[in-house]
Amino acid sequence: MNIKILKETHDKVVYHISDAELSIVNALRRLIIEEVPTMEIEEVTFAKNNSALYDEIIAHRLGLLPLISDIKSYNFPEECKCDGKGCARCQVKLALQTKGPCTVHASDLKSKDPKIKPVYPETPITLLLKGQDLQLEATAKLGTGKQHTKFSPGLAYYRFYPTLKTHKDSNIKKCAELSDNLDAKDSKLEIKDITKWNEAQEQICEQNNVIVEYDKENFIFTIESWGQLDIKKIPSIALKIFEDKLKDLDKQIKWALLKPY
């Protein structure tokens, strides 16, 4: 397997993965979405709320706020020494106390751990009018996407790598005219930026007698981060989880082989 970065921004990375099996690439995708942990708000206790929104609605909004996560410093509640009762090793408290008139933003949440804070501080939570108050305490815990999608660190998806083949009936000039990402060179049609390839360009090629073939061992793999974790670290965290799962499977197979029937 070979991996090459095609495009990178602060919240999105596109890789070219070559000479790889589909099952491995799909496993990596699922691990990123379902197994890479993040910190998110799980419980909210209200001391006062006379805004226009019910407690349940505000709690739901808080639960969906992406939080910058320090996953090395915290344990999963079920794996913590406190047996999930709640302690500084498996949860962090965030307090909010505001009085109207104002717009309550995510930045109004004051965390006891400065590392755990909203990714997007300007996210509005609710609007308070004159005389309205909102006081609450929220508890953030470590979790994974398979427990709830709010814990997922981002979106991961892939597509097969396309190859364009032309013949005497191919209208490559028309393809280049209809798409800025297609370039006609002599008798060949080339893709300018593989990261921008999409179904619309595929349809243009097919309508103009250009054959689009996909290599089932080469992939364009994209990760879009919600901001909780450094996007460069997400694949390595997923691969470490994959390695641990394989080690656990190996132990179970050896145990099964040694177990008397």
Side-chain angles (χ1 to χ4, degrees):
M1 178 188 292
N2 298 306
I3 301 176
K4 178 183 178 182
I5 296 177
L6 298 177
K7 184 177 288 187
E8 180 182 350
T9 63
H10 74 284
D11 62 354
K12 184 177 180 179
V13 179
V14 183
Y15 300 93
H16 176 206
I17 302 178
S18 57
D19 300 323
E21 294 183 11
L22 174 59
S23 58
I24 300 297
V25 176
N26 191 51
L28 177 61
R29 178 191 68 84
R30 293 188 61 178
L31 285 166
I32 290 172
I33 295 173
E34 299 178 359
E35 299 282 354
V36 174
T38 64
M39 295 284 291
E40 300 298 339
I41 291 173
E42 274 280 79
E43 300 171 2
V44 182
T45 302
F46 289 86
K48 192 172 184 181
N49 175 27
N50 54 11
S51 70
L53 299 182
Y54 294 117
D55 293 355
E56 295 87 343
I57 297 175
I58 294 176
H60 182 260
R61 292 185 176 185
L62 293 174
L64 295 178
L65 285 176
L67 301 178
I68 296 174
S69 301
D70 177 18
I71 62 175
K72 290 184 178 180
S73 301
Y74 292 89
N75 304 317
F76 287 104
E78 62 273 15
E79 297 176 1
C80 190
K81 293 180 179 180
C82 69
D83 295 325
K85 294 178 182 179
C87 67
R89 291 185 293 267
C90 66
Q91 64 180 32
V92 60
K93 300 288 186 179
L94 301 96
L96 189 152
Q97 183 173 348
T98 55
K99 182 179 291 188
C102 67
T103 299
V104 182
H105 294 95
S107 58
D108 293 316
L109 281 166
K110 306 304 178 184
S111 174
K112 288 190 176 181
D113 183 349
K115 295 180 182 178
I116 309 298
K117 57 184 179 180
V119 176
Y120 307 105
E122 296 305 312
T123 303
I125 297 171
T126 188
L127 180 67
L128 295 179
L129 302 179
K130 186 177 180 180
Q132 293 182 334
D133 298 270
L134 181 61
Q135 298 177 27
L136 59 86
E137 184 181 68
T139 304
K141 300 178 182 180
L142 205 61
T144 60
K146 66 181 180 182
Q147 296 172 306
H148 193 289
T149 191
K150 69 180 180 181
F151 290 108
S152 180
L155 182 64
Y157 55 95
Y158 62 85
R159 61 180 64 191
F160 295 115
Y161 202 96
T163 302
L164 307 182
K165 292 188 177 182
T166 60
H167 49 84
K168 62 180 181 179
D169 296 326
S170 301
N171 191 345
I172 61 174
K173 290 184 179 180
K174 185 68 173 178
C175 292
E177 290 174 3
L178 293 172
S179 175
D180 294 335
N181 198 35
L182 297 173
D183 189 21
K185 290 186 178 181
D186 299 326
S187 60
K188 295 182 179 181
L189 186 67
E190 297 181 355
I191 302 170
K192 293 180 181 178
D193 187 349
I194 196 65
T195 64
K196 295 181 179 179
W197 174 258
N198 55 41
E199 288 76 9
Q201 296 165 35
E202 179 181 4
Q203 187 176 14
I204 289 171
C205 292
E206 291 175 348
Q207 290 175 346
N208 290 279
N209 298 315
V210 175
I211 301 171
V212 182
E213 294 183 348
Y214 290 96
D215 189 338
K216 299 299 178 68
E217 293 184 350
N218 284 275
F219 306 84
I220 305 168
F221 193 95
T222 305
I223 303 174
E224 296 182 22
S225 171
W226 306 145
Q228 301 103 313
L229 302 171
D230 185 342
I231 193 166
K232 295 180 182 178
K233 296 180 180 179
I234 292 176
S236 59
I237 295 170
L239 290 172
K240 179 63 172 62
I241 294 170
F242 195 15
E243 182 183 0
D244 292 341
K245 286 181 177 291
L246 290 174
K247 288 180 180 178
D248 183 59
L249 176 62
D250 182 57
K251 289 180 181 178
Q252 292 189 43
I253 291 174
K254 291 179 178 177
W255 179 84
L257 293 173
L258 293 173
K259 183 180 177 181
Y261 291 95

